[in-house]
Amino acid sequence: HRDLHSFPTRRSSDLYLQEIREVQPKGPYQISGLSFGGLLAFEISRQLAEDGEQVGLVALFDTGNWAYYRNLPADKAAQFRRVYMVDRLRKYGRNLVQGRFQELWGDARLYVTSRWNRLAWKVGQRFCQIFNLKIPRFVRSNLVMFSAIGQVYVPKNYPGKLVLFRAEGRSAEYGDDLTLGWTDIARDGVVVHQVPGGHLSIMRDRKSVV
């Protein structure tokens, strides 16, 4: 049996934690991360708190708790998938009716590319595990690897408060839980700030935007 909590996110966070302590041996610490980096920030903060260190701020930038969505009750999981499909069909329909064929082609290309990358990663990973080989560079994809790691990560309870900067551009299926699945993980709750933009664009400098 593999401890899904400790591998491989725990191993990654251990490396970052070691470097953090080399720069700053003692707290208080202020730690943040975007997307998958938010999972690492959470796990690092949890380990620091477990060691008795003071963590002043844990900020997650549009980071969801995948374990929450993976373990949704059957009725909520079905609703999640249904909302996802309706939202995507509406989007594709609008693009088709309004003649935005460039966007339709971009979505189709992204869909095919992501599926191919996932398949190549799974097959390559399995093959290399069997023959004890290093995974070839051409099947590596940060997005796929981060997704694979995040989907098996199970966060333990955090004895403090989390601050979540949630992208307003999140797709409709995530609308039921503003905390993106972190509510029951943080003992002192989750403070949610809605931020303009999408998952990656929330980090762009908007000072010059009128």
Side-chain angles (χ1 to χ4, degrees):
H1 172 72
R2 173 175 289 175
D3 183 351
L4 296 182
H5 167 73
S6 62
F7 180 89
T9 308
R10 178 64 186 260
R11 187 168 61 185
S12 300
S13 63
D14 285 345
L15 296 176
Y16 282 104
L17 184 55
Q18 180 180 347
E19 293 186 5
I20 289 173
R21 280 178 160 155
E22 287 177 358
V23 175
Q24 182 178 330
K26 301 294 292 184
Y29 296 95
Q30 320 290 333
I31 302 177
S32 66
L34 166 68
S35 191
F36 176 79
L39 293 182
L40 288 176
F42 172 84
E43 178 59 26
I44 289 169
S45 302
R46 192 199 63 77
Q47 290 183 49
L48 286 169
E50 191 177 65
D51 292 341
E53 295 288 354
Q54 181 182 354
V55 182
L57 172 70
V58 184
L60 311 179
F61 289 87
D62 211 43
T63 299
N65 175 13
W66 282 333
Y68 169 82
Y69 294 101
R70 187 171 63 247
N71 296 313
L72 284 173
D75 57 335
K76 289 189 176 182
Q79 180 184 5
F80 185 91
R81 290 191 293 269
R82 183 168 57 252
V83 173
Y84 171 86
M85 289 300 300
V86 171
D87 180 68
R88 296 311 186 277
L89 289 174
R90 284 177 177 170
K91 174 187 174 184
Y92 302 150
R94 285 194 302 268
N95 288 339
L96 183 62
V97 170
Q98 297 174 12
R100 295 200 290 256
F101 301 113
Q102 190 74 16
E103 292 187 27
L104 279 172
W105 167 245
D107 289 334
R109 183 173 55 187
L110 179 62
Y111 178 85
V112 173
T113 302
S114 64
R115 292 304 184 275
W116 159 252
N117 287 338
R118 289 178 186 175
L119 178 61
W121 167 254
K122 289 180 179 179
V123 173
Q125 184 185 38
R126 183 59 179 165
F127 179 86
C128 292
Q129 283 177 343
I130 294 174
F131 294 98
N132 195 27
L133 299 173
K134 184 177 180 180
I135 298 177
R137 184 178 296 275
F138 76 91
V139 300
R140 299 181 200 170
S141 163
N142 285 343
L143 179 60
V144 174
M145 288 191 293
F146 292 162
S147 296
I149 295 171
Q151 287 171 7
V152 298
Y153 172 63
V154 180
K156 292 183 178 180
N157 291 337
Y158 177 69
K161 178 174 65 178
L162 301 178
V163 178
L164 172 66
F165 293 87
R166 175 187 167 122
E168 291 180 347
R170 271 271 175 176
S171 48
E173 65 271 19
Y174 292 99
D176 285 345
D177 186 352
L178 288 178
T179 72
L180 298 179
W182 293 106
T183 300
D184 295 332
I185 300 297
R187 184 192 63 191
D188 297 336
V190 183
V191 177
V192 179
H193 297 283
Q194 297 275 19
V195 181
H199 183 62
L200 297 178
S201 63
I202 62 172
M203 302 302 291
R204 293 177 185 167
D205 185 1
R206 300 177 182 276
K207 293 180 180 178
S208 59
V209 178
V210 178

